[in-house]
Amino acid sequence: MTARRRGTAALLRWYPPGWRERYGDELAALMEDTTGGEVPSVRLRASVAWAGLRERGHEAGVLGQAAAPTSRMRGGSLLVLCAWVAFVVAGSSFAKLAEHFEGSVPAHARALPVDAFTVVQWLATVAGLAVVAGAVVALPSSVRFLRAGGWPRIRRHVLRAGAATLLVLAAGIPLVATAHRLTPPQRNGGSLGYSLAFLGVCALVVAMAALWTVAAVVTVRRLGFGPRALLAEGTLAGTVALSMLAITAATAVWWASIATSAPWFLWGTPVGSAGSAFEPQLVATMVLMVLAAVAAGYGAGRIARSMRDLRTA
Amino acid sequence: MASTTAHGLRRANDPPLLILMSLATGPKHGHALAKDIEDFAGVTLGPGALYGAITRLEERGLIEPLGAQDRRRPYRITTSGTAALAAAVADLRRIADVGSARLGFAGGQLA
């Protein structure tokens, strides 16, 4: 195989396997005709990759209206699940940032951030329980799938996620043990080695969460749901999405109130000192939260439209 | 026909519609479709966009594949595709007629 053909084959990997099987050769031939045998431009590669991702979105039921309402509902629910995992990453960052904030806020201005933080905690619990309930609803279908010999179809993904979990444990347990021997200032940036190790374990945890999410998505896409189970999953996904939107709003309120009444807390500077509201980690956290909440809202919208289509069908 | 005027007021560059228009004159494979659409509409459809639209049209039964020649597979418009194209063209014509009337055009010329 020539380097050019290998490049085209690599580009086709952006498309879902079923699509590649049906249209792959034709698209490769069209690319060769379009480029006259030359190496495709970066722009052409990017547009083909983007089209491949869109095709994956169509196949997953998160784009377009061509798929059956049940597929769209399942796609919307899985999109909410993926968004929730990203949201949990952002939420963990927020929880770390907001640790012990009450003591830094003047008493007269404490009520609003405390209330906002309490709302975040309650809604996170509600959303977490909804995700667990969704897993419980999917359990009978999962058991049927495994009994019908489905394990080989998901084995690779589950084993990969399991290996990532073992890696997190192997790295995380020594880190926790080390943390117990350090003083609070050392744990909060005073020790460069500990800080780097902490960031490394955080990255591993994020990778582990992503791999388990992929395993869950791959599995759920192969499950056979009855109408009632699908409706329950859609309703739970809608609950998660609404909770995420409300958590994002409550986090914004917390941020605004802390930035107004205790900006020193955001920067770890002495009480009474001035500071900008835009602390980089908090900004990044908020951006991820908003993106995840928007994605979940989009997924919930597709679920709602699919439910309406099912009722009218 | 351009995809937009200099003022960007007209949009007739929907890939599925352009593909149906192109196939109305006979079966074509991907590269021939892209060339024809560029010629009559001035719209350059990249391989990804073209095959995305072909996929949707085939799913909806508006076009169908013929036997592959080498790795190039021609497509032809179906009866449903012809009906859908006729309806879309009628819609475009109605909108164009309204625009013409409001601008005082008669037969494409300013009255």
Side-chain angles (χ1 to χ4, degrees), chain A residues 6 45 99-100 102 146 198 277 301 313:
Chain A
R6 273 199 301 275
R45 285 165 183 271
E99 239 175 3
H100 313 306
E102 298 93 334
L146 291 174
F198 182 79

Side-chain angles (χ1 to χ4, degrees), chain A residues 244-256:
Chain A
M244 287 166 66
L245 290 166
I247 289 172
T248 306
T251 305
V253 169
W254 180 92
W255 184 8

Side-chain angles (χ1 to χ4, degrees), chain A residues 95-170:
Chain A
K96 180 70 183 158
L97 277 167
E99 239 175 3
H100 313 306
F101 75 92
E102 298 93 334
S104 299
V105 184
H108 69 274
R110 203 171 289 158
L112 184 58
V114 166
D115 288 348
F117 195 76
T118 306
V119 168
V120 168
Q121 286 176 313
W122 275 104
L123 288 172
T125 306
V126 169
L129 289 174
V131 171
V132 172
V136 171
V137 170
L139 208 54
S141 305
S142 306
V143 171
R144 279 198 300 276
F145 171 72
L146 291 174
R147 281 185 177 161
W151 170 245
R153 298 167 71 190
I154 59 170
R155 179 175 49 206
R156 184 165 55 98
H157 298 284
V158 174
L159 290 181
R160 199 182 290 169
T165 307
L166 290 177
L167 202 60
V168 166
L169 289 174

Side-chain angles (χ1 to χ4, degrees), chain A residues 69-230:
Chain A
T70 50
S71 296
R72 281 185 275 136
M73 195 185 291
R74 186 189 305 235
S77 300
L78 288 175
L79 181 60
V80 172
L81 175 68
C82 294
W84 169 248
V85 174
F87 201 80
V88 168
V89 171
S92 304
S93 169
F94 173 63
K96 180 70 183 158
L97 277 167
E99 239 175 3
H100 313 306
F101 75 92
E102 298 93 334
S104 299
V105 184
H108 69 274
R110 203 171 289 158
L112 184 58
V114 166
D115 288 348
F117 195 76
T118 306
V119 168
V120 168
Q121 286 176 313
W122 275 104
L123 288 172
T125 306
V126 169
L129 289 174
V131 171
V132 172
V136 171
V137 170
L139 208 54
S141 305
S142 306
V143 171
R144 279 198 300 276
F145 171 72
L146 291 174
R147 281 185 177 161
W151 170 245
R153 298 167 71 190
I154 59 170
R155 179 175 49 206
R156 184 165 55 98
H157 298 284
V158 174
L159 290 181
R160 199 182 290 169
T165 307
L166 290 177
L167 202 60
V168 166
L169 289 174
I173 291 171
L175 186 76
V176 171
T178 306
H180 281 296
R181 290 197 298 271
L182 298 179
T183 61
Q186 284 176 316
R187 281 200 299 270
N188 290 289
S191 164
L192 180 65
Y194 176 78
S195 299
L196 289 175
F198 182 79
L199 286 175
V201 171
C202 286
L204 281 177
V205 170
V206 171
M208 179 192 75
L211 288 171
W212 276 116
T213 307
V214 170
V217 169
V218 167
T219 305
V220 171
R221 286 179 63 186
R222 286 164 169 75
L223 300 183
F225 286 114
R228 288 175 69 178
L230 199 57

Side-chain angles (χ1 to χ4, degrees), chain B residues 77-99:
Chain B
I77 193 165
T78 62
T79 311
S80 307
T82 305
L85 176 61
V89 168
D91 275 351
L92 287 174
R93 181 175 294 137
R94 197 181 65 247
I95 292 166
D97 287 347
V98 170

Side-chain angles (χ1 to χ4, degrees), chain A residues 5 15 19 22-23 25-34 44 47-48 51 54-55 58 66, chain B residues 29-32 34 46-52 54-56 58-60 65 71-73 75:
Chain A
R5 287 218 164 163
Y15 285 85
W19 195 96
R22 167 65 184 84
Y23 296 102
D25 275 351
E26 295 173 45
L27 180 58
L30 175 57
M31 285 179 66
E32 284 167 22
D33 290 341
T34 304
L44 182 63
S47 72
V48 171
R54 286 185 61 81
E55 210 53 57
H58 278 285
Chain B
H29 58 67
H31 189 56
L50 187 72
Y51 263 90
I54 285 175
T55 307
R56 302 283 89 74
E58 196 185 343
E59 278 173 359
R60 287 153 58 192
R71 293 187 300 157
R72 291 156 185 81
R73 187 186 296 276
Y75 290 85

